[in-house]
Amino acid sequence: MKRKTKKESFKTALRKDLKKNSFAYLLLVPVLLWYIVFCYAPMWGVLLAFKDYKPLLGFADSQWVGLRHFKDFLSGPFFGRTVRNTFMLNIWGLAFGFTSPILLALLLNEVKAMRYKKIVQTITYMPHFISLVVICGMIHIFTQSGGILTQLVEWITGTEHASLLGYANMFRPIYTFSGIWQNIGWDSIIYLSAMSSIDPGLYEAAEIDGAGRFRKMWHVTLPQISPTIIILFIFAVGGLMASGHEKIILLYNSLTYETADVIASYVYRRGLQEASYSFATAVGLISSAVNFLLLWFTNRVSKKYSEISIF
């Protein structure tokens, strides 16, 4: 009897699986179509970065300029400011925004009163479902002259302030902590889900050994959810050079460009407001390339020292 090759065995197994789970594969089709149409098909547009694109001439007839736009950005007056601001805003996000949901999840996991736990979860989840435009409108109201946050800052510092969004040194704290308020509850769900799968026997064994609630949290809960934390941290580092430009554009102004103007907002101004499509594409391509390198490096370090990685 002729033995089947690995290739033939794989084809046979795949055919059987397709027949057995045909409905599940059918559900996968819309997802694949979405990625093909909206993620992969538009990728040819990166060629704009190497052309001096003129809408009247069209893509094909626009002049090929090679790396000119990349050189203009790297040697331009806004390179240092936009890169520094993008990096700093995301470092603030890693330091405070990434750790806050973990801390909230750990605290909620220790709450035994289910009614109180559900109330806290509902309150912390709610801001996530509010439109970003509305959130930014609320921030403008809270930070305007006489606003609740402005009054709080005046009470702490003992000095009067106009709108807090008019001070460059206030932008990063406002942007970061308003983001925490908006997303802390929603982001904690994945950690709570990971905690729900922890074997209760581990807590019982730790309690028998004399561990209190804090030690159980430190020696049982955190190690058990560490794979989830590491995976999300890799993705977070992979986005260090990308910021949510929608929120920044809704909050910043010319007075706060010094600390608020990031790569994404600079691309928005050059690409849409000034119609420099090729230059904006080049800047966006540089940002994407740096993000990929950060993702690859963080993933490699994680794989080497913790054996946890995304690829």
Side-chain angles (χ1 to χ4, degrees):
M1 186 175 177
K2 187 179 179 180
R3 288 186 63 185
K4 289 185 177 181
T5 63
K6 289 184 179 180
K7 189 175 182 180
E8 291 173 340
S9 300
F10 174 76
K11 286 183 177 179
T12 303
L14 181 62
R15 196 178 298 112
K16 289 181 179 179
D17 193 55
L18 283 170
K19 187 176 181 180
K20 182 180 179 181
N21 303 299
S22 57
F23 184 72
Y25 283 103
L26 191 63
L27 292 175
L28 189 63
V29 172
V31 179
L32 291 175
L33 287 175
W34 187 89
Y35 273 99
I36 292 170
V37 173
F38 295 103
C39 297
Y40 290 100
M43 288 182 70
W44 67 271
V46 299
L47 292 175
L48 284 177
F50 305 95
K51 286 176 168 281
D52 185 15
Y53 177 68
K54 304 292 184 184
L56 294 177
L57 295 177
F59 179 81
D61 295 328
S62 295
Q63 182 185 0
W64 187 272
V65 295
L67 301 176
R68 190 181 77 185
H69 299 303
F70 297 91
K71 293 176 181 177
D72 289 345
F73 174 64
L74 295 175
S75 61
F78 301 111
F79 171 73
R81 185 180 75 181
T82 54
V83 171
R84 182 182 66 250
N85 291 342
T86 303
F87 186 75
M88 288 304 299
L89 275 179
N90 283 285
I91 287 295
W92 277 62
L94 275 179
F96 300 105
F98 182 80
T99 55
S100 296
I102 301 173
L103 180 60
L104 177 64
L106 289 171
L107 294 175
L108 287 174
N109 191 56
E110 296 299 316
V111 175
K112 304 304 179 184
M114 291 304 298
R115 185 177 179 182
Y116 176 75
K117 183 176 181 178
K118 289 179 179 178
I119 291 173
V120 173
Q121 285 180 296
T122 302
I123 293 172
T124 55
Y125 293 168
M126 285 175 63
H128 176 80
F129 298 99
I130 301 175
S131 167
L132 181 60
V133 176
V134 176
I135 288 288
C136 291
M138 294 170 66
I139 294 171
H140 276 282
I141 293 172
F142 295 156
T143 58
Q144 68 183 0
S145 180
I148 184 171
L149 290 180
T150 306
Q151 293 184 37
L152 178 62
V153 171
E154 290 175 352
W155 178 73
I156 294 173
T157 61
T159 57
E160 292 187 4
H161 292 78
S163 173
L164 296 181
L165 289 175
Y167 297 91
N169 63 331
M170 296 298 295
F171 185 84
R172 286 172 188 160
I174 292 172
Y175 178 87
T176 302
F177 291 106
S178 63
I180 294 173
W181 167 65
Q182 185 181 6
N183 297 309
I184 185 172
W186 184 259
D187 291 344
S188 68
I189 292 176
I190 190 169
Y191 300 111
L192 288 168
S193 177
M195 291 175 191
S196 67
S197 63
I198 299 176
D199 184 2
L202 296 174
Y203 291 109
E204 293 173 4
E207 193 169 348
I208 291 173
D209 289 339
R213 298 182 72 172
F214 179 78
R215 286 191 173 275
K216 284 189 287 185
M217 184 191 301
W218 186 260
H219 294 288
V220 178
T221 308
L222 276 175
Q224 290 297 308
I225 67 170
S226 61
T228 303
I229 295 173
I230 292 172
I231 292 295
L232 293 177
F233 180 77
I234 292 172
F235 282 117
V237 173
L240 269 180
M241 297 308 292
S243 300
H245 64 280
E246 299 95 343
K247 184 177 178 181
I248 292 174
I249 291 169
L250 289 169
L251 292 179
Y252 81 159
N253 54 67
S254 57
L255 296 175
T256 58
Y257 278 176
E258 182 186 342
T259 57
D261 191 24
V262 296
I263 292 176
S265 60
Y266 181 59
V267 167
Y268 165 79
R269 290 201 311 276
R270 289 297 303 268
L272 295 180
Q273 294 183 345
E274 300 178 17
S276 299
Y277 304 114
S278 295
F279 182 85
T281 305
V283 176
L285 187 57
I286 292 173
S287 178
S288 298
V290 173
N291 279 332
F292 174 76
L293 291 175
L294 288 170
L295 178 68
W296 174 82
F297 176 76
T298 310
N299 184 76
R300 186 172 181 179
V301 172
S302 174
K303 189 175 184 178
K304 181 178 181 181
Y305 292 102
S306 69
E307 299 183 355
I308 300 171
S309 63
I310 58 176
F311 55 82

